[in-house]
Amino acid sequence: MALNLPDFPWDSLAAAKARASEHPDGIVDLSVGTPVDPTPQILQDALAANADAHGYPQVWGTPDLREAIAAWYARRRNASHVDPDGVMPTVGSKELVAWLPTLLGLGAGDVVAFPEVAYPTYDVGARLAGATPRPMRGLTEFGPQAPKLLWINSPGNPNGKVLGVEHLKKVVDWARARGVIVASDECYAELDWRDGAGEAGQLSAPSILDDRVCGGDHTGLLSVYSLSKQSSLAGYRASFVAGAPAIVKQLVDVRKHAGMIVPWPVQRVLKTAVEDDAHVAAQKAIYARRRAALKPALEAAAWRIDDSEAGLYLWATQGRPCRESIDALAELGILAAPGDFYGVAGEQHVRIALTATDERIDAAVRRLTAG
């Protein structure tokens, strides 16, 4: 049976990429959010120190890894009631996003809801399970037929929007009244650009597991997190999910049968990464400098930046179709991601990533401000 999957969106950028590559000073590729900075040495050392991995690792993750992740939620996310039994490492967060509906046993007749401007894999995950994908503007769109799984994404990709505590509380209350599982994709939380966020004594973007959001009760809730961005670990596929122990146990049980296991050396790197805040602060400072250069350059070139409160992207518009904007940027040798990748509601925006070297960011700034 053929899967009803959309075309891979990045394939449609081939012509714009070719045009941007013709620039005499080379392409500035701001289309993909892949880290370009070296993996911190403390994490490389952890990988090397655990290279002897002759035995099979645990699907559930070692107890000390799960305890370290629970402690990270308490320290960094104001979620003091995370049970280590409700924690599981994953092979990158995209893997879990894509397969969560299937792992939960969803199928024909079940609805998977997600924001109308959203990471495409929420839609793909529903289709892989044979469920119905449902982009939504708000919860009021649902009548008595609620979705089985509700994805939220804060800070959002592509738009960098941060959902506050009161908003998240309403989502949790709504979902619990209807028996809906809420999965919150939070992988940009440490890269919060709002004043004071994440600094000493200040919280970053709130988690669905935040004590202020759910009162310490994680029933029906999952927080999905990745270290790819904050720790430059995209190539390690180092991520985790935390929340309701009963749901996590269901995921573990299925994954044991499917052989979906995070390699032992990566589990050790994960533990080191969540126990060390210094390398995250250093990486955030690098992205902050790039953002401080690129954002005003875009605004000077008549772009409006919407939301973009957190994360690695600027959600930009010139009030015209996104493909026209992509072509205009390509003439400057700059490649970005068209907003229609992320749903119909994004078709007048482009997503511009901060994940390029300082030299390439500076080149983009010069080209944007040259006129």
Side-chain angles (χ1 to χ4, degrees):
M1 181 179 70
L3 292 172
N4 180 27
L5 298 180
D7 293 336
F8 190 61
W10 298 98
D11 292 345
S12 70
L13 274 183
K17 185 173 184 179
R19 180 70 187 95
S21 298
E22 294 172 357
H23 193 280
D25 186 38
I27 188 173
V28 178
D29 191 344
L30 306 179
S31 66
V32 183
T34 187
V36 298
D37 302 305
T39 299
Q41 193 61 48
I42 187 175
L43 305 183
Q44 295 189 46
D45 292 345
L47 183 72
N50 293 281
D52 182 7
H54 49 274
Y56 289 112
Q58 297 180 30
V59 172
W60 203 357
T62 58
D64 64 341
L65 169 59
R66 292 185 279 113
E67 289 164 4
I69 292 171
W72 176 83
Y73 271 101
R75 186 177 74 253
R76 300 298 301 176
R77 309 302 311 282
N78 197 47
S80 63
H81 294 82
V82 173
D83 186 338
D85 285 350
V87 174
M88 180 188 70
T90 65
V91 189
S93 60
K94 184 174 184 177
E95 170 256 298
L96 186 74
V97 171
W99 292 108
L100 182 61
T102 299
L103 294 171
L104 292 173
L106 274 58
D110 296 326
V111 172
V112 177
F114 46 85
E116 64 174 351
V117 175
Y119 185 48
T121 310
Y122 307 133
D123 177 284
V124 168
R127 294 170 188 262
L128 287 171
T132 301
R134 170 73 184 276
M136 61 165 194
R137 184 169 298 173
L139 298 177
T140 57
E141 296 176 17
F142 294 100
Q145 187 66 32
K148 290 293 183 69
L149 173 65
L150 170 64
W151 279 105
I152 59 175
N153 180 206
S154 176
N157 174 14
N159 59 8
K161 186 176 180 61
V162 175
L163 303 180
V165 168
E166 292 305 317
H167 183 117
L168 293 174
K169 283 178 66 176
K170 290 177 181 178
V171 171
V172 170
D173 291 344
W174 181 91
R176 284 183 172 162
R178 294 161 176 80
V180 176
I181 293 174
V182 179
S184 180
D185 184 350
E186 304 174 353
C187 71
Y188 298 95
E190 291 274 23
L191 301 172
D192 191 333
W193 310 118
R194 297 172 301 161
D195 289 345
E199 297 176 3
Q202 299 293 321
L203 294 169
S204 62
S207 171
I208 199 73
L209 305 182
D210 189 309
D211 297 345
R212 299 167 297 169
V213 170
C214 63
D217 178 5
H218 298 165
T219 303
L221 306 179
L222 293 174
S223 165
V224 179
Y225 206 82
S226 169
L227 302 187
S228 293
K229 316 299 186 181
Q230 70 184 46
S231 300
S232 293
L233 280 176
Y236 286 53
R237 314 312 298 132
S239 302
F240 49 85
V241 60
I247 300 177
V248 171
K249 183 179 186 303
Q250 179 180 347
L251 303 182
V252 170
D253 289 346
V254 176
R255 292 166 73 91
K256 285 179 180 178
H257 287 291
M260 301 169 79
I261 313 172
V262 175
W264 164 258
V266 176
Q267 292 194 31
R268 295 293 86 192
V269 173
L270 262 172
K271 179 176 182 295
T272 300
V274 297
E275 291 176 334
D276 180 73
D277 296 336
H279 79 276
V280 180
Q283 187 61 55
K284 182 179 179 181
I286 292 171
Y287 285 130
R289 291 198 306 270
R290 292 171 182 161
R291 185 176 185 272
L294 191 55
K295 183 174 181 287
L298 285 162
E299 291 170 332
W303 290 83
R304 187 183 78 233
I305 309 301
D306 290 335
D307 296 319
S308 306
E309 300 168 300
L312 287 182
Y313 312 106
L314 296 171
W315 189 231
T317 182
Q318 290 184 321
R320 60 175 173 171
C322 62
R323 295 290 173 159
E324 292 182 13
S325 295
I326 290 295
D327 290 342
L329 286 170
E331 292 296 322
L332 298 176
I334 299 170
L335 187 66
D340 59 13
F341 278 11
Y342 309 97
V344 174
E347 58 188 9
Q348 287 198 339
H349 284 76
V350 300
R351 193 193 76 170
I352 298 175
L354 305 176
T355 49
T357 64
D358 292 344
E359 184 274 332
R360 289 288 84 187
I361 293 289
D362 289 344
V365 168
R366 288 194 303 271
R367 296 174 196 183
L368 288 164
T369 57

